[in-house]
Structures are given as structure tokens and as C-alpha cells.
Amino acid sequence: MKNVVAYIRVSTDGQIGDDKFGLEVQREQIIDYCSKNDMNIVKWYSDEGESGAKYRPGFDEIVYGEVTNPPYEAVVVAKSDRVARDINIYFYYQGALLRKNVELISITEDFGQFGVFANMLKAFTLTCAEMERDNINKRTSAGRTVKSSKGGYSGGRTPYGYKAENHQMVVVKEEANVVKMIFRMKDKEGMTYKAICEVLNAQGYTNRSGTKFTISTVQTIYENKKVYQGFYKYGKNAEWVKGMQEAILYEEDC
């Protein structure tokens, strides 16, 4: 009997539990495959809520950790894109495991039965997965562009004074008050960024991370004036449009 380790992954938090190819489905398929192919699953590894574009600490532990042959002869996954959709990353991992004399087995594709064509089929399958990912990214980007052209929040870090809630930018009252103070001190009192920082820190105000205000933080807030006035754009080359978010600054504030 061949000793193996098994690996399962879902790519986003939302998939855990409900995804049609979620953790339990993958687990059942791997157990069934191993029982039919005289394989003994010694250990399980998983990554839950790790995006395909991010690091996979569970799988990295397999590749860079103590999984060696002996005692383990293979790593079994339910599908190749559970390892990586990027073809270069997949083959990098495969090569790294082979250097430890550990086979990487994808049971859904079952490349092994095709003999000399196995690597060709594996490359083709991964290329399709990579194209699918690129198409998803393009559709997502297009959707964000359309939404932002109408003034809707399209993702990314929200400026100080706002938070993301239900895919919208919502005013954070405490932060909004600080924003108004900064613009009043800068525009009406002519204070420097350094002087503004000293006032805010002396009065016990903190930035979003809970630390003291710095010149760069105050400058970034000041340079977001258009957003605070109720305008919005997504991307450097986009045009400013009337935003859907509530304005923080009005004419009397600056």
C-alpha cells in the first residue's frame, strides 16, 4: 500500500461550506480514489479561504516542509487547480515535489492513465484554468469600470472617513469629524501638515490603525478632497463623476 498525503482547498471564504467543489466534496473524492487505488492517507493538509492568487500556506508546508519519500510517495489532490491555476506555479510545485521523489496526483483529471500524453493533457487543462481566471478578472474589471462610471464604489481601500459596507462607501462619523478638522486647519487657518499632525496627536486622535497621525497620512487625506466632496473615480486614468457616497465636505468646510 502506498502512503500518501492529501490536500484540499477552497479559494474564498464564501466557498467554505457551500461551494459545489468545497472541502467536504474534495475530501470524499480523495478518500474514494485512495481506497480504490491501494493508497493510505497518512495526513491531510488544507487551505481554507485562501485566494488562488495568494500564497497557500498549507500546500507550501507540503512542498517546503517534511513531506518526503519515504515515508510519503505522493500528494493527492481532487483537482489540479486546487494546487494552482497558474500553469507556471503548478509545474514549479510539481517539479519541487519530484525532486523529493514525491508524485503529485490529481484524481479528477487522472493524467496518469494517458501515459506519454499525460504532461500534454495536464498543461492543456491548466492553461484552460488559467484562461478562465483571466476571463473572470476581465469581467470583474469591466463590471467595476461600469459601476465606477456611475459613481458606485468599485473596491479597494476606502479613504479615511469612509468604510465599505454592502458594497458601498459609508461615512464613519468619528473619522469624518477629523477629516473636517484637517481641511479647516489647512484651508482656513493655513497650517502646515506638520502642525496639523501635532494638533491631532496632542488631542488624542489616531489614524485608522490606531497610531499617531503622520505628515504622509494627513497629506493623503487632504489629496482625497474630491472624494470627500462627493465625487468618485476608479483608477488613475478615470474621470471624476458624481459619487453615490455621502459627502463629508461642503463649501463651508473648506
Side-chain angles (χ1 to χ4, degrees):
M1 180 173 285
K2 179 184 293 188
N3 286 331
V4 303
V5 298
Y7 173 73
I8 54 180
R9 178 179 71 86
V10 289
S11 59
T12 63
D13 293 324
Q15 287 179 310
I16 300 174
D18 295 329
D19 180 45
K20 64 181 180 181
F21 202 61
L23 297 177
E24 290 308 312
V25 174
Q26 294 173 54
R27 188 186 300 273
E28 291 174 6
Q29 290 186 359
I30 291 173
I31 291 173
D32 182 63
Y33 177 88
C34 290
S35 66
K36 292 177 180 178
N37 289 274
D38 199 30
M39 294 180 182
N40 174 39
I41 303 173
V42 179
K43 192 172 182 179
W44 288 87
Y45 292 83
S46 67
D47 284 312
E48 303 180 18
E50 297 291 336
S51 168
K54 297 178 181 178
Y55 294 110
R56 290 162 292 278
F59 196 78
D60 285 347
E61 187 178 349
I62 294 174
V63 177
Y64 306 116
E66 299 180 355
V67 174
T68 58
N69 185 5
Y72 312 110
E73 297 181 56
V75 176
V76 183
V77 299
K79 196 175 180 182
S80 58
D81 66 4
R82 299 300 90 180
V83 175
R85 287 188 173 183
D86 186 308
I87 190 170
N88 296 310
I89 295 176
Y90 181 90
F91 280 117
Y92 169 80
Y93 279 137
Q94 183 187 48
L97 288 170
L98 286 175
R99 283 192 291 274
K100 299 199 295 183
N101 200 26
V102 177
E103 185 182 3
L104 179 57
I105 300 173
S106 171
I107 66 174
T108 301
E109 290 87 1
D110 198 11
F111 296 112
Q113 65 176 305
F114 296 102
V116 296
F117 297 106
N119 283 336
M120 292 174 59
L121 287 168
K122 189 178 294 185
F124 175 75
T125 300
L126 288 169
T127 299
C128 290
E130 186 175 3
M131 291 175 65
E132 178 188 2
R133 183 189 64 183
D134 290 341
N135 287 332
I136 290 172
N137 289 338
K138 288 177 182 177
R139 290 195 296 270
T140 300
S141 178
R144 287 176 175 173
T145 300
V146 171
K147 185 177 181 180
S148 65
S149 70
K150 299 179 181 179
Y153 171 63
S154 300
R157 183 178 175 84
T158 57
Y160 183 87
Y162 292 101
K163 66 179 179 179
E165 189 175 279
N166 296 323
H167 307 292
Q168 298 290 335
M169 286 204 304
V170 179
V171 173
V172 179
K173 186 176 180 180
E174 296 79 7
E175 294 182 2
N177 291 334
V178 175
V179 170
K180 291 179 180 181
M181 288 176 61
I182 290 172
F183 278 89
R184 185 184 69 249
M185 288 188 282
K186 181 66 175 172
D187 291 341
K188 292 188 175 182
E189 301 177 23
M191 295 174 63
T192 64
Y193 291 131
K194 183 175 183 296
I196 294 172
C197 284
E198 290 174 351
V199 171
L200 293 176
N201 293 332
Q203 294 184 14
Y205 292 104
T206 60
N207 62 29
R208 185 172 285 169
S209 61
T211 58
K212 290 184 177 182
F213 277 94
T214 63
I215 291 175
S216 61
T217 302
V218 173
Q219 182 176 359
T220 298
I221 291 172
Y222 188 77
E223 290 175 350
N224 274 321
K225 187 174 185 176
K226 294 282 288 185
V227 178
Y228 298 129
Q229 289 176 324
F231 295 91
Y232 185 80
K233 73 173 182 176
Y234 181 75
K236 293 181 179 180
N237 300 322
E239 297 290 333
W240 286 101
V241 297
K242 180 63 177 176
M244 293 182 179
Q245 80 275 15
E246 178 186 348
I248 291 176
L249 295 178
Y250 298 92
E251 289 185 7
E252 62 271 20
D253 297 313
C254 49

